Amino acid sequence: MCDDSIEVINKMLDEIAKANRYDECQIKIKSVSSGGANYTSYLHHVTISAPGKDDLKLFVKLAALGEKIRSAASFIIFEIEDFFYKKLLKTYEAIEERNMVSSEHRLVTPKFYASNDKYCKEVLILEDMTSKGYQAFNRFESIDWKYASKSIQNLAKLHALSIAWSIDDPKDFENNKSLEFNAYISIRLDLLKNSIKNTIEVTRPENKEKIEKFCKEMTEYDVFRGFLNPIRRPVIVHGDYRPSNLLHRKLDNGEYDVVSVDYQTLFKSNPMFDLMYFIFTGSDKNFRKNYFKRTVEHYYKELRAALERLNLAPDDIYPREDFEYELEKMMPFGLLISTFALPIITVQEEDAPKVTKDIDLNDFMALPSSLYKERINDIIDDYIDMGLL
């Protein structure tokens, strides 16, 4: 972290301390490692202490990507996440308040404190959820049913709120340029094609021809774009809804409390994008064998419940036939996104791409781990068994 970035963060923290009346305060900043789970940000835990006050625990994200990678597409690192906390979340909270949604059914997010949008020095400062007992999921493990069910419940709340917004203010929903993804489709497609080379390399010989044919068909521009766009029911998707981007704490009754974080990749798409993404990047073969259908059904059940809490009629807004139609259309996406996301999710920390200002797009290609080889071949087998490959 360079000196001018430290200066930016220190100034922001001083302003937060002043706004929260932390007089004569001490500010401690501790850099933390993501353990190979984050490639776009430098991460820091911050403690602001003052006499007679409880410590204020904050989480700071500082943009780590420099000009080299941004030359491919000029963008502000936390632009979407900033939009989420400053505008969209307030819209969602107003919808929940107007419909008198009980606290247990409301979307929970970290508290937003401040942001800086200066190019290449972007900063986002949020509540440190680990101070409340939340922790990150072990990305090398498979989800279980208890964890999956609560994660899906959280996802349903997120989707239902975006549907409510689209009905409350269709013009703003349709015309919001911050949530359009088309500008980055070509970049995503190029990255995907690069990752597919590793997938083919580790695929068992008897399945190589099948996976090559599948990937060639699925990475045609119009086909790939179809997975990203709305189909019948447009929603604002998380865009990277995997266990690594969720925080959880275990309650006294053994259940999980799950909170989604990292809203950097929100965009307008279809509900199945997040659902397929979550299942195939977070589960192993055993989970899918026992819980795939149950997880899919649980999502639809929870989405209907979330819509009803917002005084919306699920059968009119997202009838069962639309859900099943979108599920069928998006099933190939589970395998396709696995070829891109799983190498990053399963990479060992020592082999993970190093976060530096000089990193470029090609540096995001993680070397296939033994766990990746196992996971991707199991998914390929599942798709063969389902008759989709």
Side-chain angles (χ1 to χ4, degrees):
M1 185 166 62
C2 57
D3 291 341
D4 53 349
S5 294
I6 294 174
E7 184 179 344
V8 169
I9 290 176
N10 283 337
K11 183 178 179 181
M12 294 174 70
L13 293 174
D14 286 338
E15 291 173 353
I16 290 172
K18 183 178 179 181
N20 288 273
R21 298 184 178 180
Y22 275 68
D23 303 322
E24 300 178 10
C25 68
Q26 289 187 330
I27 300 176
K28 296 180 180 179
I29 304 176
K30 180 182 178 182
S31 298
V32 293
S33 169
S34 68
N38 180 286
Y39 308 116
T40 62
S41 311
Y42 298 115
L43 309 177
H44 310 276
H45 287 302
V46 173
T47 302
I48 301 179
S49 305
K53 303 274 282 188
D54 292 335
D55 287 350
L56 184 59
K57 300 284 190 175
L58 304 174
F59 183 65
V60 176
K61 299 201 294 186
L62 170 67
L65 303 182
E67 291 284 358
K68 192 171 183 181
I69 194 170
R70 295 183 196 232
S71 62
S74 180
F75 56 92
I76 305 298
I77 292 293
F78 303 127
E79 182 177 13
I80 300 300
E81 197 159 13
D82 197 51
F83 165 79
F84 173 77
Y85 283 108
K86 287 183 176 178
K87 180 182 177 181
L88 189 55
L89 185 56
K90 292 179 180 178
T91 299
Y92 287 176
E93 289 171 345
I95 290 171
E96 290 175 325
E97 188 69 26
R98 187 170 65 250
N99 289 283
M100 295 182 288
V101 177
S102 63
S103 58
E104 67 175 304
H105 293 304
R106 295 196 180 195
L107 181 70
V108 177
T109 65
K111 181 179 178 181
F112 171 83
Y113 279 90
S115 64
N116 176 66
D117 62 359
K118 188 174 181 181
Y119 188 65
C120 283
K121 294 185 180 64
E122 299 96 334
V123 177
L124 194 68
I125 303 180
L126 304 168
E127 172 187 15
D128 182 1
M129 298 295 283
T130 64
S131 68
K132 292 184 173 181
Y134 288 91
Q135 59 181 311
F137 188 85
N138 184 340
R139 61 191 173 90
F140 299 115
E141 295 182 358
S142 171
I143 55 177
D144 60 18
W145 171 248
K146 280 190 175 182
Y147 180 88
S149 62
K150 290 299 180 181
S151 301
I152 291 299
Q153 185 181 67
N154 179 76
L155 180 62
K157 293 177 188 177
L158 192 65
H159 287 176
L161 285 165
S162 79
I163 292 173
W165 177 40
S166 72
I167 293 171
D168 281 1
D169 194 346
K171 185 176 181 181
D172 194 25
F173 180 86
E174 288 295 331
N175 298 331
N176 198 298
K177 299 301 181 184
S178 300
L179 299 171
E180 297 296 337
F181 194 75
N182 288 331
Y184 302 110
I185 288 179
S186 294
I187 295 173
R188 282 287 185 100
L189 189 53
D190 287 343
L191 287 170
L192 178 60
K193 288 178 178 178
N194 283 337
S195 69
I196 283 170
K197 296 174 184 176
N198 283 334
T199 300
I200 294 172
E201 183 179 329
V202 303
T203 300
R204 288 194 295 271
E206 64 270 24
N207 294 330
K208 280 186 186 290
E209 185 176 346
K210 291 180 180 178
I211 195 67
E212 285 177 341
K213 182 175 183 292
F214 172 86
C215 290
K216 183 177 180 180
E217 292 174 353
M218 295 301 111
T219 54
E220 292 291 334
Y221 183 86
D222 287 340
V223 175
F224 180 65
R225 184 178 62 180
F227 292 131
L228 304 180
N229 286 345
I231 301 176
R232 288 187 174 175
R233 169 44 64 186
V235 299
I236 305 306
V237 297
H238 182 281
D240 197 11
Y241 200 80
R242 53 188 165 99
S244 299
N245 283 332
L246 302 173
L247 296 175
H248 70 274
R249 61 182 176 184
K250 210 161 190 179
L251 305 177
D252 292 339
N253 62 4
E255 296 294 326
Y256 285 102
D257 179 18
V258 175
V259 175
S260 46
V261 295
D262 282 347
Y263 291 94
Q264 299 182 54
T265 50
L266 297 179
F267 70 101
K268 196 183 305 176
S269 184
N270 64 84
M272 296 301 100
F273 182 100
D274 279 340
L275 183 60
M276 293 296 100
Y277 199 109
F278 174 76
I279 293 173
F280 286 97
T281 63
S283 68
D284 62 9
K285 188 177 185 66
N286 186 60
F287 177 89
R288 293 189 300 275
K289 178 183 177 181
N290 293 294
Y291 297 108
F292 177 79
K293 290 182 179 179
R294 187 176 178 183
T295 302
V296 170
E297 287 298 321
H298 186 62
Y299 169 79
Y300 188 61
K301 174 185 174 184
E302 288 293 336
L303 181 64
R304 289 180 63 91
L307 290 170
E308 287 173 349
R309 288 192 292 268
L310 299 174
N311 292 304
L312 298 173
D315 289 331
D316 296 333
I317 291 168
Y318 197 39
R320 179 83 196 193
E321 63 185 49
D322 285 357
F323 167 70
E324 291 181 350
Y325 178 82
E326 292 195 340
L327 177 62
E328 181 181 358
K329 289 290 184 182
M330 289 295 291
M331 275 300 300
F333 181 71
L335 172 54
L336 188 64
I337 196 59
S338 298
T339 67
F340 173 75
L342 277 179
I344 298 171
I345 292 169
T346 60
V347 68
Q348 294 294 325
E349 183 174 0
E350 60 271 19
D351 296 326
K354 306 304 177 186
V355 178
T356 70
K357 292 289 185 181
D358 295 324
I359 196 171
D360 65 20
L361 284 173
N362 292 327
D363 294 326
F364 280 90
M365 297 298 107
L367 293 174
S369 66
S370 59
L371 180 57
Y372 169 69
K373 295 174 185 178
E374 176 187 332
R375 287 274 183 94
I376 196 65
N377 276 290
D378 283 346
I379 293 173
I380 290 170
D381 286 344
D382 287 350
Y383 270 72
I384 291 173
D385 290 344
M386 290 186 288
L388 298 173
L389 190 62

